[in-house]
């Protein structure tokens, strides 16, 4: 393959809305320096680095920090190249000390080669928060050997929690140098030169947009104590930002982790790139949960990040959705066992023309009168079982229990011991009021947290292991309750405000239960902060029972244990392999214990001890049939078979648990064909029947010997008459 020497040409034009990294020194009219940034552009590829000249811009607001460079940065490259990524960054130059990074983004050589030329194009910068991060928090992180999230957010923009401005730049591949540089015998090294100011006509085309917010409530929010009144939680507010534009929602009272805003707001955003032509140049949307009374005290502690293009494509027709927040770990304002919380809101984003056309429909759904209408309900949460929970103790197991939270009201399940697959089969009722407008879009969430209990150490030392959310929008409503019929009654509609839209009505939920049937549960994944980062699952269901202050609960709790039947569990145990030392001592005499926990009983079956052929690779070669009195009819309720490995030491005085695992039985229930998977092992396939003709032609010497069977009297059964119908 012939290698060619070329040049990567990056033109740094200008930047907008950069963070203020230089603070004013002095006060009271005697400032020695001004606030702002001494910005320069840097490009890095392989072992080549080149930077523009420094441009200083000063001002008291980020809207004033718009430096211009207009420099060409020439970087030598060899094609084809094993290196593809180009690091582009904006820095604040400091005379004393190290430079501060303002933002970073990445481009690729392959993309430039494919498109021949890219730009001028806006590149959005994302990173750590622009608010001051305490040095004590950074020092504590470094001393503990933890991750420096400020550095991580800045170096990996996709993880960033803050919009830090944007840069206008161009890229292309040049096969040769300019004629003048060739004449001057320019070496094959990075170099730069000043160019003319870019014509405004060559900037990406812009359009005016409108961002709309309908904010309902927040749930499972952090309960941070106030600085003056330590008995009350800090008030919480919400900020929604897109680029340099923001919607700031005033703070609301935080009652047991729940805040209620029920408001609607919008902001005009002129000068943004046209999304249909430049979708990758449109800034992301950030949603923050903040504390602080004044503008200087505002501290965003949690956030979530959304792609603006996804919101634009909904054309202001989006529904209310729950958004799970994540902690801004660069600020580290939450404790290790604090969940960041969830927000129920509705976002709309589009051009000013589309916003005007859909304004009436948007305001109809997000009016304060609609958001404030509530109906009394009883929320019934049915907890069945968990599986594959994360290990929290040294033995690879945990002592799990669940916290069920509905609008700040918390109930706790029973505590289980030494298992990753606990069985609960418990129900919990919560009396609450739910907004019944537009189905159950505005209904709260049920938050279920799994904790590992440390026996004898107090609940404050328990370990948080994850959580999951159950949407009441997917809940089943008891249709036999008297209130279910009242919801569409004219008396209910008469109690609503008179200025509601003419086509407004209270809608029934989609899923309804007739009689006293229990809803079918479903498996839900646990998470730590966001979907996909947790381990384990929960089997649960939610019922909504319409109620009223003047009526008692007409739907008493039912036994949620599933229908079951007698069964036999067949276990074929061959052996173990590659058992490693436990507590720095080799394995000596291992054995296995099988534990099956159902809703009604716990069954244990043990194998004998074995050290053949070696303690690290013992063989058991056993076939056990274990009777199970009550095994679920439906495979979704099938428990997991836990397998515990023990070692025998000091003559039997010590029997440590050296390892654990579990086997799913859901696919092994032959009477439930919806999930049953037939055996495919060769030893499990019955042999084909032998034809009679082949058997007759075989010699007597080749005929297999059959062991005769005897009855209780010791006589040969072949001569006995079948008086009782025969032994089958």
């Amino acid at each position: 393959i012939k290698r060619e020497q070329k040049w990567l040409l990056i033109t740094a034009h200008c930047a907008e809305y950069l963070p203020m990294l230089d603070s004013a020194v002095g006060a009271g009219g005697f400032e020695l320096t001004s606030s702002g940034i001494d910005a320069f552009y840097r490009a890095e590829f392989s072992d080549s680095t080149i930077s523009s000249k420094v441009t200083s811009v000063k001002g008291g607001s980020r809207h004033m920090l718009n430096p211009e460079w207009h420099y060409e940065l020439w970087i030598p490259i060899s094609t084809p190249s094993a290196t593809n990524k180009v690091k582009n960054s904006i820095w604040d130059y400091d005379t004393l000390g190290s430079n501060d990074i303002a933002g970073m983004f990445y481009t690729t050589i392959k993309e430039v080669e494919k498109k021949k030329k890219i730009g001028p194009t806006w590149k959005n910068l994302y990173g750590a928060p622009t608010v001051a991060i305490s040095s004590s928090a950074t020092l504590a992180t470094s001393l503990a050997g933890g991750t420096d999230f400020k550095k991580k957010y800045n170096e990996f923009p996709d993880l960033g929690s803050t919009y830090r401005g944007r840069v206008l730049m161009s890229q292309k591949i040049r096969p040769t140098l300019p004629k003048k540089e060739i004449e001057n015998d320019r070496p094959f090294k990075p170099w730069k030169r000043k160019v003319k100011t870019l014509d405004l006509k060559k900037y990406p085309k812009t359009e005016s947009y409108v961002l709309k917010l309908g904010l309902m409530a927040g749930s499972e929010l952090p309960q941070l104590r106030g600085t003056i009144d330590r008995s009350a939680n800090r008030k919480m507010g919400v900020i929604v930002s897109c680029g340099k534009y923001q919607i700031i929602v005033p703070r609301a009272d935080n009652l047991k982790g729940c805040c209620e805003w029920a408001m609607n707001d919008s902001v005009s955003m002129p000068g943004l790139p046209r999304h249909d032509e430049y979708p990758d140049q449109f800034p992301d949307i950030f949603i923050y949960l903040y504390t602080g009374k004044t503008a200087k005290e505002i501290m965003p502690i949690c956030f979530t990040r959304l792609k603006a293009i996804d919101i634009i494509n909904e054309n202001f027709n989006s529904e209310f959705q729950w958004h799970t927040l994540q902690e801004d770990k660069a600020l580290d304002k939450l404790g290790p066992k604090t969940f960041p919380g969830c927000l129920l809101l509705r976002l709309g984003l589009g051009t000013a023309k589309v916003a005007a056309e859909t304004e009436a429909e948007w305001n109809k759904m997000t009016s304060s009168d609609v958001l404030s209408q509530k109906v009394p309900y009883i929320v019934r949460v049915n907890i069945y079982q968990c599986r594959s929970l994360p290990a929290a103790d040294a033995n690879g197991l945990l002592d799990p229990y669940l916290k069920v939270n509905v609008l700040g009201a918390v109930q706790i399940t029973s505590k289980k011991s030494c298992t990753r697959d606990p069985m609960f089969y418990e129900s919990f009722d919560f009396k609450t009021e739910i907004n019944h407008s537009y189905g159950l879009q505005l209904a709260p969430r049920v938050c279920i947290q799994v904790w590992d209990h440390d026996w004898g150490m107090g609940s404050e030392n328990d370990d948080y292991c994850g959580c999951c959310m159950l949407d009441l929008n997917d809940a089943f409503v008891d249709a036999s309750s008297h209130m279910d019929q009242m919801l569409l009654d004219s008396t209910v509609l008469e109690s609503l405000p008179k200025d509601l839209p003419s086509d407004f009505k209270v809608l029934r939920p989609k899923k309804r239960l007739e009689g006293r049937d229990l809803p079918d549960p479903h498996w839900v994944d646990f998470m730590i902060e966001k979907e996909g980062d947790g381990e384990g699952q929960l089997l649960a269901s939610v019922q909504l029972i319409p109620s009223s202050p003047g009526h008692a609960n007409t739907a008493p709790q039912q036994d949620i244990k599933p229908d079951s039947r007698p069964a036999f569990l067949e276990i074929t145990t061959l052996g173990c392999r590659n058992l490693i030392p436990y507590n720095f001592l080799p394995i000596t005499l291992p054995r296995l214990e099988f534990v099956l926990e159902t809703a009604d009983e716990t069954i244990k079956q043990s194998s004998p001890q074995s050290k053949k052929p070696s303690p690290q690779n013992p063989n058991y070669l056993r076939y056990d049939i274990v009777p199970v009195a009550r095994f679920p009819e439906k495979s979704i309720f099938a428990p997991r078979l836990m397998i515990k490995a023990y070692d025998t030491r000091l003559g039997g005085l010590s029997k440590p648990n050296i390892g654990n695992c579990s086997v799913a039985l859901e696919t092994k229930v032959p009477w439930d064909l919806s999930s049953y998977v037939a055996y495919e092992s060769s030893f499990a396939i019955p042999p084909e029947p032998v034809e009679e003709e082949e058997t007759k032609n075989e010699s007597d010497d080749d005929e297999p010997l059959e062991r005769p069977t005897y009855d209780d009297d010791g006589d040969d059964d072949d001569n006995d008459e079948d008086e009782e119908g025969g032994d089958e």
Side-chain angles (χ1 to χ4, degrees):
I1 300 176
K2 183 180 179 180
R3 298 181 63 86
E4 297 180 287
Q5 291 184 341
K6 299 181 180 180
W7 295 87
L8 172 63
L9 174 57
I10 297 178
T11 305
H13 301 289
C14 60
E16 290 183 358
Y17 201 66
L18 294 183
M20 191 174 301
L21 299 179
D22 290 337
S23 301
V25 178
F30 297 94
E31 291 84 358
L32 301 178
T33 60
S34 302
S35 302
I37 184 173
D38 304 314
F40 66 91
Y41 190 108
R42 175 183 292 174
E44 302 175 53
F45 176 76
S46 186
D47 57 350
S48 301
T49 302
I50 185 69
S51 301
S52 69
K53 293 287 186 179
V54 176
T55 300
S56 298
V57 286
K58 305 299 179 181
S61 170
R62 289 182 61 184
H63 294 273
M64 304 172 65
L65 304 186
N66 307 316
E68 296 186 10
W69 299 289
H70 304 293
Y71 263 88
E72 285 184 351
L73 308 179
W74 293 71
I75 302 176
I77 61 174
S78 296
T79 58
S81 173
T83 305
N84 182 44
K85 187 171 292 186
V86 182
K87 181 192 291 187
N88 302 263
S89 53
I90 314 299
W91 293 80
D92 172 48
Y93 176 76
D94 289 334
T95 306
L96 302 176
S98 59
N99 299 328
D100 300 322
I101 187 170
M104 184 181 298
F105 65 94
Y106 297 91
T107 58
T108 61
I109 296 293
K110 292 182 179 180
E111 183 182 5
V112 181
E113 289 180 333
K114 181 179 179 181
K115 297 183 178 180
K116 306 301 182 181
K117 180 182 179 181
I118 298 179
T121 179
W122 289 106
K123 294 292 184 179
N124 296 303
L125 305 177
Y126 305 103
T130 57
V131 298
I133 300 176
S134 63
S135 58
S136 59
T138 305
L139 178 61
T141 300
S142 60
L143 292 177
T147 303
D148 185 352
F149 282 96
K150 177 182 178 181
K151 181 179 179 181
K152 184 175 182 178
Y153 286 174
N154 288 331
E155 292 184 352
F156 299 93
D158 291 342
L159 304 177
S161 63
T162 305
Y163 175 76
R164 297 174 71 94
R166 62 178 183 173
V167 180
L168 187 64
M169 53 89 70
S170 305
Q171 306 174 83
K172 62 182 176 180
I173 301 291
R174 291 284 298 267
T176 60
L177 289 170
K179 183 177 180 180
K180 181 179 179 180
E181 300 299 330
I182 296 177
E183 294 174 353
N184 295 334
D185 196 18
R186 167 75 65 179
F188 196 62
K189 295 181 180 180
W191 63 285
K192 61 189 175 187
R193 68 175 181 178
K194 184 77 173 180
V195 294
K196 295 181 179 179
T197 302
L198 182 67
D199 189 353
L200 292 177
K201 295 181 180 180
K202 296 182 179 181
Y203 277 50
K205 298 178 182 178
T206 63
E207 193 164 350
S208 180
Y209 289 82
V210 175
L211 175 64
K212 294 185 177 183
L213 167 68
L215 178 61
M216 183 64 186
S219 181
E220 292 83 43
L221 302 179
Q223 301 183 50
L224 306 179
R225 297 302 181 185
T227 55
I228 299 178
D229 185 4
R230 303 295 297 177
S231 62
N233 296 328
R234 291 186 186 179
K235 294 182 177 182
M236 298 287 183
V238 175
I239 298 176
V240 179
S241 69
C242 182
K244 60 183 178 180
Y245 303 100
Q246 293 181 340
I247 298 176
I248 301 179
V249 180
R251 299 179 305 155
D253 292 332
N254 186 346
L255 304 176
K256 297 181 180 181
C258 298
C259 293
E260 188 168 325
W261 291 279
M263 56 77 61
N264 186 26
D265 203 352
S266 63
V267 60
S268 297
M269 304 187 299
L272 290 179
R274 298 183 60 174
H275 71 279
D276 52 349
E277 296 186 29
Y278 321 104
D280 57 334
Q281 300 183 36
F282 212 97
D284 290 349
I285 295 177
F286 288 88
I287 303 173
Y288 300 99
L289 182 71
Y290 76 88
T291 62
K293 186 176 182 180
T294 63
K296 293 184 178 181
E297 296 175 349
I298 286 181
M299 179 65 66
I301 57 176
C302 308
F303 76 99
T304 187
R305 182 171 168 179
L306 307 174
K307 288 293 183 182
I309 298 301
D310 296 337
I311 309 300
I312 293 176
N313 292 336
E314 295 180 347
N315 292 321
F316 294 96
N317 292 322
S318 62
E319 297 181 348
F320 277 89
Q321 295 180 359
W322 282 98
H323 295 268
T324 302
L325 304 176
Q326 63 185 60
E327 178 187 3
D328 194 331
K329 296 182 179 179
L331 297 175
D332 193 23
K333 296 297 182 180
L334 301 183
K337 301 178 183 179
T338 304
F339 184 70
C342 309
L343 294 176
L344 178 60
L345 53 87
R346 181 192 186 205
L347 287 175
L349 177 61
T351 62
K353 179 181 178 181
V354 177
E357 294 173 352
T358 59
E359 183 175 5
E361 189 67 25
W362 175 274
N363 293 336
K364 180 192 305 182
M365 187 171 182
T366 56
S367 66
S368 58
D369 292 328
V370 173
L371 298 181
S372 61
Q373 299 305 312
K374 294 184 178 181
V375 176
Y377 270 99
I378 293 176
V379 179
R380 177 166 297 168
V381 184
N382 300 317
I383 305 295
Y384 293 87
Q385 56 179 292
C386 299
R387 65 184 180 189
S388 303
L389 295 180
D393 296 335
N395 59 0
L397 302 174
L398 74 161
D399 305 315
Y401 67 94
L402 304 179
K403 291 183 179 180
V404 186
N405 187 337
V406 178
L407 292 177
V410 180
Q411 298 190 47
I412 301 177
T413 66
S414 58
K415 297 178 175 63
K416 305 299 179 179
S417 179
C418 294
T419 179
R420 295 180 59 200
D421 310 296
M423 298 284 169
F424 294 104
Y425 288 95
E426 302 177 28
S427 297
F428 303 94
D429 286 355
F430 298 86
K431 293 184 178 181
T432 184
E433 291 185 346
I434 297 176
N435 194 306
H436 208 289
S437 306
Y438 303 96
L440 289 170
Q441 286 188 39
L442 308 182
R445 264 179 165 181
V446 178
C447 177
I448 302 177
Q449 298 181 351
V450 56
W451 290 75
D452 172 51
H453 181 62
D454 293 329
W455 299 94
M457 301 183 65
S459 59
E460 65 276 2
N461 294 316
D462 293 350
D463 300 319
Y464 169 73
C465 300
C467 71
C468 65
M469 303 294 175
L470 304 179
D471 286 334
L472 295 185
N473 193 23
D474 298 327
F476 291 80
V477 176
D478 185 0
S480 62
S481 173
H482 66 281
M483 276 298 296
D484 183 69
Q485 306 299 328
M486 291 175 59
L487 290 177
L488 293 179
D489 190 74
S490 60
T491 57
V492 177
L493 297 178
E494 291 176 357
S495 63
L496 298 178
K498 302 301 182 182
D499 55 348
L500 286 176
S502 57
D503 59 345
F504 172 80
K505 63 179 180 179
V506 182
L507 302 179
R508 290 188 180 184
K510 300 176 183 178
K511 301 179 180 180
R512 305 172 70 231
L513 290 176
E514 301 295 340
R516 296 301 180 201
D517 296 333
L518 284 172
D520 292 331
H522 62 280
W523 289 100
V524 185
D525 294 330
F526 281 110
M527 63 180 181
I528 302 299
E529 282 191 359
K530 57 183 179 180
E531 295 182 1
D533 68 347
E535 186 178 354
Q537 291 180 309
L538 168 70
L539 183 64
S541 66
V542 182
Q543 296 173 255
L544 285 179
I545 305 172
S547 180
S548 65
H551 294 79
N553 180 13
T554 58
Q557 291 186 2
Q558 299 174 257
D559 185 4
I560 64 173
K561 293 181 180 179
D563 295 335
S564 57
R565 57 176 290 174
F568 292 91
L569 176 64
E570 298 181 358
I571 304 175
T572 303
T573 310
L574 301 182
C576 296
R577 293 296 179 265
N578 304 321
L579 297 179
I580 63 175
Y582 179 78
N583 283 350
F584 306 102
L585 293 177
I587 306 301
T588 58
L589 194 60
R591 69 177 178 89
L592 298 179
E593 182 180 75
F594 300 90
V595 181
L596 181 65
E597 182 183 2
T598 67
D600 301 286
E601 58 182 337
T602 299
I603 302 172
K604 296 183 179 181
Q605 177 73 19
S606 297
S607 71
Q609 300 171 344
S610 176
K611 58 179 181 180
K612 295 181 180 181
S614 68
Q616 294 77 27
N617 303 282
N619 289 337
Y620 298 103
L621 307 180
R622 286 181 58 85
Y623 174 72
D624 297 301
I625 298 181
V626 183
V628 182
R630 301 180 67 85
F631 198 90
E633 289 276 2
K634 294 184 178 180
S635 59
I636 191 174
F637 299 104
R640 294 178 69 89
L641 177 65
M642 181 183 297
I643 306 175
K644 298 182 177 181
Y646 292 91
D647 191 22
T648 304
R649 299 176 178 179
L650 301 177
L653 297 178
S654 176
K655 299 179 180 179
N657 180 202
I658 60 175
N660 305 277
C661 68
S662 62
V663 178
L665 302 182
E666 184 175 355
T667 60
K668 306 180 186 301
V669 182
W671 55 80
D672 189 347
L673 300 180
S674 62
S675 59
Y676 177 66
V677 178
Y679 292 113
E680 297 181 358
S681 303
S682 59
F683 65 86
I685 299 177
E688 296 181 0
V690 180
E691 297 182 3
E692 295 183 359
E693 295 181 359
E694 296 180 359
T695 305
K696 293 180 181 179
N697 294 333
E698 293 178 355
S699 62
D700 296 339
D701 296 337
D702 295 335
E703 292 182 1
L705 297 177
E706 296 183 0
R707 176 177 297 179
T709 58
Y710 299 91
D711 56 12
D712 295 339
D713 298 333
D715 298 331
D716 194 334
D717 285 343
D718 293 341
N719 298 325
D720 290 345
E721 294 183 2
D722 189 2
E723 298 180 357
E724 300 295 336
D727 295 334
E728 296 183 359

